[in-house]
Structure formats: C-alpha cells, structure tokens
C-alpha cells in the first residue's frame, strides 16, 4: 500500500484530537473503540509492509538535516510489530483500568473540596462524575495515541535528527500520562521520568552531532565509519551508548524506572516497560552494531559485562520487593541486561537472540503488568504480602500470569525459551571461538542470572496465587473481559511464537548475518 509507513506513524498523531473530542462528548467506550480501531488499522499496515519484505519511504525535508524517511527491514520489523500490537491490545485493557483510576481521583478531589469547606454540610462539586470521566478519558486516549506513534517513529527513522525528534516526542505524552494519572507523588515522579530520559536524549544528540557534522550528513545511508577519525568515533559511540543506556534503564542509569512503574497507570507500565525502554536496544543495534561495526568490535566485551551486571542486579533487587509493580520494574531492568548481554556476544545467534528477547519480554511483561492491574482494580492493593490464594478466585488471570512468568523465565513452549536459548548459545559460541576466559566466565554467571529470574518469578506467583486465601479476599472476582481477553491474546501469541519462532527469526537472522558479514 502506498504511504503505508507514513500512515502508520502519523495517523495516530493527526487523529489524536478526534479521540479527545469523542471521549469528551461521548465517553470512554466510544473513545476506546476509536483508539483501538485506529491502532488496529495501522498495525495491519505495519504487518503487511513487513510481509512484503524491506520497505522504504523517503520524503523531502530540509537541507540542514537531510532526508525524512521510514525503513522497515529485518531489524525494525519485530520492534515495530510488537510496539503496535501491544498498543492496540492495551487500548482495550485501558478502559476499565482508567475508569477505575478516574473514579479514585474524582473521590480524592471531592474529599479535598469537602475538607476545605469545613462547617458546611454541602460538598461543592465542579462537575458531575460522568463529565469528569468523559473529559479525562478523551485526554488519556489522545495522549496514548501520541505515545504509541512516538515509539514507532523512532524505530522506523532513517535520519539521526529524525530519530532524535521521535525519541523526544514519546517522552512528552509519557510525562503527562504519569503526572496526570499516576499514583503517589505523580508530578514529582513524572518530572523524574522526563529529566532522566531527556538527559539521556541530550547525550544521544551529542553523539549524533559528532557523527553528522564530521561526515556532513545526518542520513543513515551516508554514515561511513571509515570517514570518521577514531577518537571521534569512540566518543560518539560512548555518548550514544550512554544516551540509549538511560532509555534502556540498564545498571547505573536504571534509577528512574522503578519509581515510574510504581506510579504510572498500569496500561502505560505495560507499554513503557516492554516496548519503550527496549527502543534503547534498537538504537544500539542500528546506530552502533550496524553503522559502526569496528567500534562495536572494540566495545562489545564491555556491553557484554554491562549486560551481565544489569541481569544480576535487577534480578537480585526484584527478589527483595513486596510491591508487585516494583518487582516487575526491577525484572524489566534485568531483562534489558539480557538484551545487552546478547548484543555484546558479537555473534549472529547472540544478536538474534537479543532481539528476540525484546519480543518475548514485551509479551511476557505485558501479560504480567496486566495481571498487576487486574489485582489493583479488583483487590485494591499491590503488596504481595497481603495477597495469596487468588488462583481460585481469578483463574484466567492466574493461568495467563503463569504463562507470562514462564515466558520471562525462558521455559518452553513459550517464546522466552527460544530467545534465551539462542542468546546464550551465541554467547558460548563466541567464547569458544575466541578462547576468551572472560567470555566463558560471563556465560557461566549469565546462567546464574537465569536462576535469579526463576526465583523471583516463582516466589511472586506462589505468594499471589497460591496458598491460603486471606479472609479479606473472599469476595474478589475475576477481571472483566476487557482486561482478561487482551491477556489471553498475548498468552496465546507467546506460545505460538515459542513453537514457531521463525515468524520473527526469518527476518532477524538474515539481517544479523548481513551486519556481521557472515
């Protein structure tokens, strides 16, 4: 289809005001179905473009920056498909969760008004609950669409400045989604999110400027490592790695993620953790592995070690958490370490496994964050110590959560096994070929990290879904179909992908062969 990628990126942005108007005038259900329908259409566009092979679109821009374009190839396809599949599914899930959140905020605001009018028996209301929910729903779905398009635009960009612009665009709705509807000190945490991610983006831009000004172009097609002095190459590669490392939330730059996940509305957590932070990995693949291969060869062992430290740190911290969303946040940090570990393996299978880990993490963690949201809505607490025995009350949620946990643990027949097995096979392959003691030790310690992953996942499942049901949970019921059906879709997808991983490997492995010159 002509202009397929242009439509996929810009229709959600251009039609976001329509979602706002529909929500404000007609309510959350029409706004949700409009958002779902629009994202479903754009998701189909992306999938059809991916099935037709490498797709490129180029459009005139400004002489200062070069050409504006979109590229959907073996690297970008899995990222783009997963971003929009998750965004589409979570649009349905958003409705009951966000209505619950709007009701909570409405009650909080009315309580504040009541407390400031002591001595009066009347409660002053600025608007009815229905109007309040409608207004908030419209704004939520409008921001949601912009958030999704910012992520897709980043992975399809063909120009350094274009990449940076989309990279920054996704931060703006992300900030408002946390600051407006997060839990706890949401504005403070929203600013923390904006500060850390924007700081990373600025460092990233410095790396882009060093490359672009040296070669005289910002277009991906013009980047030639041989035309850039070695010192500038190393400085720019380090700046890019740090900037993307902040977004990836790997060790040293991870501080913001547990706080943001602890506050963010769960549908946004289910997008932010599986989809958004992984875009940092996409940037490393595209900007360093592909465009700066010799520099990547020098830095690969450091990526490998950095990934290992992140895997172990995130897993150990997850094991200590009582808040279910913070546990999943530290789990995401650990999983991003797996991806960086695979990138540092510098082998076709290691790199392919790392990209597959993005896909499997998105599916598994998407399921688990949706599980957390259902528990928040139906039980009213996120503290694991206050839960237990919920499998009998919430069987669909329990089964889907088990499948999501198995995906994160890398247990067959889920997609997690195919990603993890391929990643570790590639890491061991490189260690043997190079005869590297360091790589052999990191491989062994990486296996220890998988034991940590199993530990915190099984410990969480045991405490949440099994054992004796506390008395205060006797009346708990299963979540609505708006919440459980999306979980079931992702659970089915991870099993299908675990049985037939070539759905993505047929695109990923040829690309990695080409990048490494195999």
């Amino acid at each position: 289809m002509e202009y397929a990628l242009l439509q996929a990126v810009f229709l959600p942005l251009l039609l976001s005001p329509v979602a706002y108007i529909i929500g404000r005038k007609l309510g959350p259900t029409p706004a949700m179905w409009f958002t779902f329908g629009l994202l479903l259409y754009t998701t189909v566009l992306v999938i059809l473009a991916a099935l037709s092979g490498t797709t490129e679109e180029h459009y005139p821009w400004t002489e200062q920056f070069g050409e504006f374009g979109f590229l959907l190839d073996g690297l970008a396809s899995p990222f783009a498909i997963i971003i929009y599949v998750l965004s589409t599914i979570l649009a349905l899930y958003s409705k009951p969760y966000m209505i619950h959140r709007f009701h909570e905020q409405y009650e909080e605001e009315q309580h504040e008004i009541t407390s400031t009018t002591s001595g009066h028996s009347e409660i002053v209301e600025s608007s009815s609950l229905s109007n309040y929910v409608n207004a908030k729903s419209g704004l939520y779905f409008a921001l949601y669409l912009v958030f999704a398009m910012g992520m897709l635009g980043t992975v399809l960009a063909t120009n350094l400045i274009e990449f940076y612009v989309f990279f920054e665009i996704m931060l703006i709705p992300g900030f408002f989604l946390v600051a407006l509807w997060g839990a706890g000190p949401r504005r403070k945490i929203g600013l923390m999110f904006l500060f850390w991610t924007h700081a990373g983006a600025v460092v990233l831009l410095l790396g882009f400027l060093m490359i672009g000004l040296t070669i005289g172009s910002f277009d991906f097609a013009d980047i030639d490592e041989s035309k850039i002095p070695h010192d500038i190459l190393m400085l720019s590669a380090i700046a890019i790695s740090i900037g993307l490392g902040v977004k990836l939330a790997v060790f040293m730059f991870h501080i913001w993620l547990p706080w943001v996940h602890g506050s963010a509305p769960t549908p946004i957590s289910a997008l932010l953790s599986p989809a958004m932070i992984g875009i940092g990995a996409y940037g490393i693949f595209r900007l360093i592995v592909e465009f700066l291969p010799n520099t990547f060869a020098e830095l690969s062992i450091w990526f490998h070690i950095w990934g290992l430290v992140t895997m172990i740190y995130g897993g150990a911290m997850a094991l200590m958490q009582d808040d279910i969303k913070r546990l999943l946040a530290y789990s995401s940090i650990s999983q991003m370490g797996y991806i960086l570990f695979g990138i540092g393996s510098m082998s076709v299978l290691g790199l392919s496994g790392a990209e597959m880990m993005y896909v499997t993490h998105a599916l598994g963690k998407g399921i688990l964050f949706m599980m957390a949201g259902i528990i928040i809505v139906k039980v009213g607490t996120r503290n694991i110590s206050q839960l237990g025995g919920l499998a009998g009350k919430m069987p669909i949620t329990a089964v889907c959560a088990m499948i999501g946990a198995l995906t994160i643990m890398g247990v067959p027949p889920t997609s997690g096994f195919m990603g993890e097995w391929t990643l570790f096979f590639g890491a061991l392959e490189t260690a043997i070929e190079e005869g590297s003691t360091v790589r052999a030790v990191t491989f062994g310690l990486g296996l220890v990290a998988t034991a940590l992953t199993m530990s915190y996942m099984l410990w969480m499942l045991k405490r949440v879904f099994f054992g004796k049901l506390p008395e205060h949970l006797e009346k708990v019921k299963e979540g609505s179909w708006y919440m459980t059906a999306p979980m079931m879709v992702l659970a089915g997808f991870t099993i299908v992908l675990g049985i037939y991983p070539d759905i993505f490997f047929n695109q990923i492995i040829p690309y990695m062969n080409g990048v490494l010159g195999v």
Side-chain angles (χ1 to χ4, degrees):
M1 181 183 287
E2 195 173 9
Y3 307 123
L5 301 183
L6 187 69
Q7 290 185 66
V9 172
F10 283 110
L11 278 179
L13 176 65
L14 295 176
L15 296 179
S16 60
V18 178
Y20 173 74
I21 294 169
I22 291 174
R24 193 172 185 89
K25 299 293 184 182
L26 302 176
T29 301
M32 179 271 293
W33 283 115
F34 173 80
T35 302
F36 173 78
L38 176 58
L39 287 172
L40 181 62
Y41 171 70
T42 52
T43 301
V44 170
L45 289 179
V46 171
I47 292 173
L48 291 176
L51 291 175
S52 66
T54 299
T55 303
E56 287 189 70
E57 296 177 8
H58 296 280
Y59 305 96
W61 200 17
T62 169
E63 293 182 2
Q64 295 296 321
F65 298 148
E67 201 169 42
F68 187 96
F70 300 112
L71 171 65
L72 189 70
D73 59 2
L75 174 63
S77 292
F79 282 90
I81 290 170
I82 286 297
I83 286 169
Y84 262 20
V85 165
L86 268 181
S87 298
T88 304
I89 288 173
L90 285 164
L92 293 176
Y93 177 92
S94 289
K95 181 200 158 187
Y97 183 91
M98 293 310 299
I99 288 176
H100 171 79
R101 183 67 187 128
F102 298 150
H103 283 195
E104 284 184 334
Q105 288 191 321
Y106 181 81
E107 291 173 6
E108 289 171 7
E109 291 180 14
Q110 294 310 307
H111 178 72
E112 289 176 6
I113 293 172
T114 304
S115 64
T116 58
T117 57
S118 55
H120 299 274
S121 58
E122 298 181 48
I123 297 177
V124 181
E125 294 184 344
S126 60
S127 64
S128 70
L129 176 59
S130 177
N131 289 337
Y132 182 90
V133 170
N134 288 0
K136 299 298 183 182
S137 297
L139 183 56
Y140 170 81
F141 283 110
L143 290 170
Y144 185 91
L145 285 170
V146 179
F147 188 53
M149 70 76 59
M151 291 188 286
L152 183 69
T154 306
V155 301
L156 297 182
T158 61
N159 177 289
L160 293 173
I161 301 301
E162 179 190 351
F163 183 101
Y164 173 76
V165 169
F166 280 114
F167 198 78
E168 289 279 59
I169 283 175
M170 76 175 97
L171 307 183
I172 299 168
F175 161 72
F176 283 110
L177 287 164
V178 174
L180 292 175
W181 299 297
R186 54 183 181 270
R187 292 178 181 83
K188 179 180 178 181
I189 293 173
L191 287 171
M192 175 192 288
F193 165 74
L194 190 64
F195 170 79
W196 274 93
T197 50
H198 178 63
V202 170
V203 176
L204 181 69
L205 180 61
L206 291 176
F208 288 174
L209 291 175
M210 282 189 277
I211 292 174
L213 295 176
T214 301
I215 64 175
S217 173
F218 292 99
D219 290 330
F220 285 178
D222 296 330
I223 297 177
D224 185 347
E225 190 178 28
S226 64
K227 295 180 180 179
I228 307 173
H230 183 265
D231 290 347
I232 294 178
L233 268 177
M234 290 302 295
L235 284 173
S236 58
I238 290 170
I240 291 170
S241 299
I242 292 172
L244 295 171
V246 173
K247 179 59 70 70
L248 199 56
V250 288
F251 182 72
M252 293 189 298
F253 305 113
H254 66 279
I255 298 169
W256 61 274
L257 190 66
W259 288 100
V260 172
H261 273 313
S263 177
T266 301
I268 302 307
S269 291
L271 258 186
L272 188 149
S273 179
M276 192 200 83
I277 64 173
I279 291 173
Y282 170 82
I284 294 174
F285 277 118
R286 180 71 80 193
L287 303 171
I288 297 180
V289 177
E290 180 179 348
F291 294 150
L292 310 176
N294 295 323
T295 308
F296 168 62
E298 293 183 50
L299 295 175
S300 64
I301 187 62
W302 299 108
F303 284 136
H304 203 53
I305 295 170
W306 196 9
L308 174 67
V309 172
T310 304
M311 290 160 66
I312 294 174
Y313 171 81
M317 290 298 293
L319 200 53
M320 303 176 191
Q321 303 304 310
D322 185 54
D323 184 315
I324 196 167
K325 288 189 70 178
R326 285 182 70 88
L327 183 150
L328 295 176
Y330 279 110
S331 170
S332 294
I333 292 169
S334 179
Q335 293 291 301
M336 292 305 104
Y338 280 84
I339 296 176
L340 199 59
F341 182 83
I343 291 172
S345 70
M346 206 178 167
S347 70
V348 169
L349 288 179
L351 288 163
S352 300
E355 184 166 3
M356 182 61 88
M357 283 294 291
Y358 172 85
V359 173
T360 64
H361 175 252
L363 297 175
K365 199 55 64 66
I367 293 170
L368 292 171
F369 270 113
M370 283 193 272
M371 168 209 73
I374 291 174
I375 290 173
I376 290 169
V377 170
K378 293 298 180 179
V379 180
T381 183
R382 299 175 355 186
N383 294 333
I384 299 174
S385 57
Q386 296 177 19
L387 303 172
L390 287 176
K393 296 290 184 178
M394 310 169 79
I396 297 175
T397 300
V399 171
C400 290
M402 179 65 74
I403 294 172
L406 292 176
T407 302
I408 298 300
M409 290 188 286
V411 176
T414 67
S415 59
F417 171 73
M418 300 309 300
E420 204 167 293
W421 182 87
T422 308
L423 182 152
F424 278 105
F425 187 97
L428 181 60
E429 188 178 48
T430 303
I432 293 172
E433 286 179 1
E434 293 184 1
S436 171
T437 303
V438 173
R439 288 189 179 275
V441 170
T442 55
F443 172 80
L445 292 174
L447 295 180
V448 173
T450 65
L452 271 175
T453 302
M454 285 190 162
S455 298
Y456 67 72
M457 277 296 164
L458 293 174
W459 184 230
M460 177 194 70
L461 290 173
K462 176 183 179 295
R463 291 185 291 168
V464 172
F465 291 107
F466 302 103
K468 185 179 179 181
L469 182 73
E471 289 184 11
H472 67 280
L473 301 182
E474 288 289 346
K475 296 182 180 180
V476 169
K477 296 180 180 180
E478 183 63 271
S480 70
W481 285 107
Y482 281 112
M483 305 185 91
T484 55
M487 291 178 68
M488 295 165 70
V489 171
L490 291 187
F493 192 13
T494 188
I495 292 174
V496 169
L497 195 56
I499 296 170
Y500 191 67
D502 284 354
I503 292 172
F504 287 119
F505 273 148
N506 281 341
Q507 298 173 306
I508 295 171
I509 292 178
Y511 168 82
M512 296 302 175
N513 277 323
V515 166
L516 293 183
V518 178

